[in-house]
C-alpha cells in the first residue's frame, strides 16, 4: 500500500487528506477541512487577500489533523499532492509552497492536481470512503457545478475528459451567491436560498415567476446573468414582505435547477453515457439532487446516477488525493 498526502487551498477552504492506495483500490483515511466562511461573511463574498492569510494560518494545523485522523505520520507518506489550478493565485500559492517544501524535505514526488479533476472523481468515493472507478462505467457524463465553475463534462476514459458545455457568464454557485445578495440572505448564498425555498410549499405565482435560462439553445452551455437580472428587476419593483423573500428564493432555485437538468438530459440523449454524475458545491442542493435523479431515472432507469456524500461536494482535499492517484494510474 502507498500513502498520499493531499493539500487543497484553491479557494476558501484549507484542506488536507491522507489516501491509502494500491493499483486496484483507494481509501480516504482522513479529510480535514478548515472553512473560512465566517471570515468572508462580513464582506458578502470571498476576499482573496483575506483568504490567502487564513490559508497561511491554517495549513500546517490542518495537515497535522489529517495525519492524526489517519493515524499516520509524515514518514509514511509516499507522495504529496496539491491543487495547482484553477483558483485564487494567492491561495493556491500557500498550498503549493507547503507541498513543495514537504516533498523536497522528505525527498518524495509531488503530484500537481487540477481542482476540477478532483470534483469529477469525487462522485466515485462511496459511503465507506472507498474509491473505485471501472472501465464499464465509461462514458461518464458529469455536471460540475461550483462557486467558480459550471461545466458539463464527458469522460470517454479516465485520461480523456472533455468539456462539452459551460457557463457563458456566472457559475451556478456564483449565481446562487449573487441572488442571495439581492435577497439580503448573506453568504454563502446556496444554502441560504435553498433553506428559504423549502419554506414554500405552494406553486410559484406570476409575480414571482422567473425565466428558465438557455431553454431554447441547442448547445450544452449555461447562462445565469439574465436570470439574476430578472430577479433584481422583480425585487426592485416590489414592496418586499418577509414571505416574498422565500417565494423569490424558491422561484430562483427552481429556474436554475430546471436549466441544469434540461441540459444534462439533452446531453445524455446525444452521448448515451453509461453513468451520470453530479459534483461540486452546488451538488449539495437538495432540489437539484432530487430533480436530476428523477430525470435520469425517467430517461433510462438503467443509467446509474452518482452524487457524492455532502462532505465531498464542497471543496475538500480527499478528492484532490483521489485525482492524484488517478494521475499516477493513467501514467503507469
Ligand atoms: O465547490 P465549492 O465548495 O467551491 C468552489 O470550487 O467554487 O462550491 C461553493 C459554492 C458556493 O457558491 C455555494 O453557494 C454553493 O457552492 N453551494 C450551494 C449549496 N451549498 C453550497 N448551492 C446551492 N445549494 C446548496 N445547498
Ligand atoms: Zn471546488
Amino acid at each position: 500500500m502507498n500513502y498520499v498526502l493531499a493539500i487543497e487551498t484553491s479557494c476558501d477552504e484549507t484542506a488536507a487528506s491522507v489516501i491509502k492506495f494500491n493499483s486496484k483500490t483507494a481509501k480516504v483515511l482522513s479529510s480535514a477541512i478548515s472553512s473560512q466562511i465566517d471570515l468572508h461573511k462580513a464582506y458578502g463574498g470571498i476576499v482573496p487577500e483575506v483568504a490567502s492569510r487564513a490559508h497561511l494560518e491554517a495549513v500546517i494545523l490542518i495537515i497535522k489533523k489529517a495525519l492524526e485522523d489517519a493515524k499516520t505520520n509524515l514518514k509514511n507518506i509516499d507522495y504529496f499532492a496539491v491543487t495547482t489550478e484553477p483558483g485564487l493565485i494567492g491561495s493556491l500559492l500557500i498550498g503549493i509552497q507547503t507541498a513543495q517544501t514537504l516533498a523536497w524535505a522528505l525527498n518524495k514526488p509531488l503530484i500537481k492536481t487540477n481542482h476540477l479533476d478532483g470534483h469529477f472523481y469525487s462522485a466515485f468515493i462511496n459511503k465507506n470512503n472507498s474509491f473505485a472507478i471501472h472501465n464499464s462505467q465509461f462514458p461518464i457524463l458529469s455536471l460540475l457545478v461550483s462557486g467558480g465553475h459550471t461545466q458539463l463534462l464527458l469522460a470517454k476514459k479516465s485520461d480523456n475528459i472533455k468539456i462539452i458545455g459551460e457557463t457563458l457568464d456566472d457559475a451556478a454557485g456564483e449565481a446562487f451567491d449573487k441572488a442571495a445578495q439581492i435577497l439580503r440572505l448573506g453568504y454563502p448564498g446556496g444554502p441560504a436560498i435553498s433553506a428559504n425555498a423549502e419554506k414554500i410549499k405552494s406553486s410559484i405565482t406570476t409575480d414571482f415567476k422567473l425565466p428558465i435560462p438557455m431553454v431554447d439553445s441547442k448547445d450544452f452551455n449555461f447562462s445565469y446573468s439574465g436570470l439574476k437580472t430578472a430577479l433584481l428587476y422583480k425585487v426592485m419593483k416590489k414592496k418586499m414582505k418577509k414571505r416574498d423573500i422565500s417565494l423569490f428564493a424558491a422561484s430562483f432555485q427552481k429556474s436554475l435547477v430546471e436549466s441544469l437538468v434540461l441540459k444534462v438530459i439533452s446531453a445524455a440523449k446525444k452521448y448515451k453515457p453509461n453513468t451520470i454524475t453530479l459534483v461540486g458545491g452546488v451538488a449539495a442542493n437538495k432540489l437539484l439532487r432530487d430533480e436530476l435523479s428523477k430525470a435520469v431515472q425517467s430517461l433510462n432507469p438503467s443509467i446509474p446516477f452518482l452524487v457524492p456524500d455532502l462532505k465531498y461536494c464542497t471543496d475538500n482535499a480527499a478528492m484532490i488525493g483521489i485525482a492524484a492517484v488517478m494521475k499516477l494510474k493513467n501514467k503507469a
Side-chain angles (χ1 to χ4, degrees), residues 115 119 146 315 319:
H115 182 82
H119 277 303
S146 72
D315 287 349
M319 67 183 195

Side-chain angles (χ1 to χ4, degrees), residues 8 10-13 46 115-116 119 144-149 172-177 187-195 253 279-286 310 313-316 319:
E8 153 67 40
S10 68
C11 195
D12 60 344
E13 325 279 357
I46 298 165
H115 182 82
L116 302 177
H119 277 303
L144 192 168
V145 270
S146 72
H149 293 87
E174 188 183 358
F176 267 112
D177 294 336
Y187 176 84
I193 296 255
S194 67
Q253 174 173 263
V279 296
V282 182
N285 185 274
K286 189 173 178 317
L310 288 182
C313 286
T314 42
D315 287 349
N316 63 88
M319 67 183 195

Side-chain angles (χ1 to χ4, degrees), residues 53-74:
R53 283 171 190 269
H55 284 306
L56 194 57
E57 281 167 18
V59 71
I60 300 295
L61 293 171
I62 279 298
I63 290 171
K64 278 190 179 158
K65 177 154 188 356
L67 289 165
E68 268 169 37
D69 290 352
K71 299 189 174 40
T72 189
N73 59 58
L74 276 178

Side-chain angles (χ1 to χ4, degrees), residues 76-135:
N76 292 331
I77 301 298
D78 304 291
Y79 297 90
F80 291 91
V82 65
T83 305
T84 54
E85 60 172 350
L88 302 170
I89 187 65
S91 292
L92 285 167
L93 279 173
I94 306 296
I96 294 170
Q97 294 204 339
T98 310
Q100 270 176 343
T101 307
L102 286 168
W104 179 78
L106 295 158
N107 199 20
K108 292 287 153 71
L110 177 68
I111 308 164
K112 295 174 183 168
T113 308
N114 183 300
H115 182 82
L116 302 177
D117 285 349
H119 277 303
F120 173 79
Y121 287 117
S122 68
F124 300 88
I125 307 174
N126 69 19
K127 291 256 177 277
N128 302 322
N129 301 311
S130 295
F131 168 84
I133 193 164
H134 303 290
N135 287 339

Side-chain angles (χ1 to χ4, degrees), residues 4 75 84 146 151-152 167 181 223 231 259 282 290 329 332:
V4 54
K75 285 191 204 119
T84 54
S146 72
Q151 295 180 338
L152 204 47
T167 182
Q181 267 184 358
S223 165
L231 173 70
S259 84
V282 182
D290 292 351
K329 213 171 164 182

Side-chain angles (χ1 to χ4, degrees), residues 39-331:
L39 275 180
H40 298 288
K41 250 184 190 151
Y43 306 97
I46 298 165
V47 184
E49 178 67 21
V50 173
S52 314
R53 283 171 190 269
H55 284 306
L56 194 57
E57 281 167 18
V59 71
I60 300 295
L61 293 171
I62 279 298
I63 290 171
K64 278 190 179 158
K65 177 154 188 356
L67 289 165
E68 268 169 37
D69 290 352
K71 299 189 174 40
T72 189
N73 59 58
L74 276 178
K75 285 191 204 119
N76 292 331
I77 301 298
D78 304 291
Y79 297 90
F80 291 91
V82 65
T83 305
T84 54
E85 60 172 350
L88 302 170
I89 187 65
S91 292
L92 285 167
L93 279 173
I94 306 296
I96 294 170
Q97 294 204 339
T98 310
Q100 270 176 343
T101 307
L102 286 168
W104 179 78
L106 295 158
N107 199 20
K108 292 287 153 71
L110 177 68
I111 308 164
K112 295 174 183 168
T113 308
N114 183 300
H115 182 82
L116 302 177
D117 285 349
H119 277 303
F120 173 79
Y121 287 117
S122 68
F124 300 88
I125 307 174
N126 69 19
K127 291 256 177 277
N128 302 322
N129 301 311
S130 295
F131 168 84
I133 193 164
H134 303 290
N135 287 339
S136 62
Q137 290 175 293
F138 291 89
I140 299 162
L141 179 67
S142 181
L143 175 65
L144 192 168
V145 270
S146 72
H149 293 87
T150 297
Q151 295 180 338
L152 204 47
L153 303 168
L154 184 71
K156 290 192 176 154
K157 289 189 293 182
S158 62
D159 58 354
N160 178 0
I161 307 176
K162 290 222 157 67
I163 301 170
I164 57 165
E166 60 191 328
T167 182
L168 304 176
D169 39 56
D170 294 348
E174 188 183 358
F176 267 112
D177 294 336
K178 288 180 178 166
Q181 267 184 358
I182 294 171
L183 297 172
R184 300 181 197 277
L185 289 174
Y187 176 84
I193 296 255
S194 67
N196 268 274
E198 270 171 34
K199 294 179 192 162
I200 303 300
K201 302 291 173 219
S202 55
S203 56
I204 309 287
T205 53
T206 325
D207 259 15
F208 298 92
K209 273 221 166 94
L210 293 166
I212 301 168
M214 304 287 273
V215 71
D216 293 320
S217 81
K218 298 272 176 283
D219 55 25
F220 302 117
N221 290 329
F222 310 86
S223 165
Y224 295 110
S225 59
L227 175 62
K228 184 185 65 192
T229 311
L231 173 70
L232 180 65
Y233 284 147
K234 286 218 168 190
V235 168
M236 280 187 344
K237 267 196 209 152
K238 216 165 168 51
K239 268 198 166 169
M240 293 285 283
K241 294 194 210 92
K242 203 163 173 227
R243 186 176 148 81
D244 295 347
I245 294 177
S246 300
L247 280 162
F248 274 124
S251 174
F252 181 86
Q253 174 173 263
K254 186 170 178 286
S255 288
L256 196 145
V257 165
E258 269 183 43
S259 84
L260 291 170
V261 172
L262 219 113
K263 294 286 167 159
V264 177
I265 297 304
S266 62
K269 285 181 183 158
K270 177 167 177 185
Y271 294 105
K272 308 206 174 345
N274 279 347
T275 310
I276 297 180
T277 70
L278 168 65
V279 296
V282 182
N285 185 274
K286 189 173 178 317
L287 186 73
L288 178 58
R289 292 165 89 97
D290 292 351
E291 291 300 312
L292 194 52
S293 166
K294 272 192 252 164
V296 172
Q297 175 77 16
S298 72
L299 175 73
N300 181 349
S302 66
I303 303 177
F305 173 62
L306 305 180
V307 195
D309 200 76
L310 288 182
K311 63 177 182 284
Y312 297 129
C313 286
T314 42
D315 287 349
N316 63 88
M319 67 183 195
I320 302 304
I322 294 294
V325 169
M326 288 305 292
K327 206 167 175 183
L328 282 175
K329 213 171 164 182
N330 287 334
K331 267 199 206 147

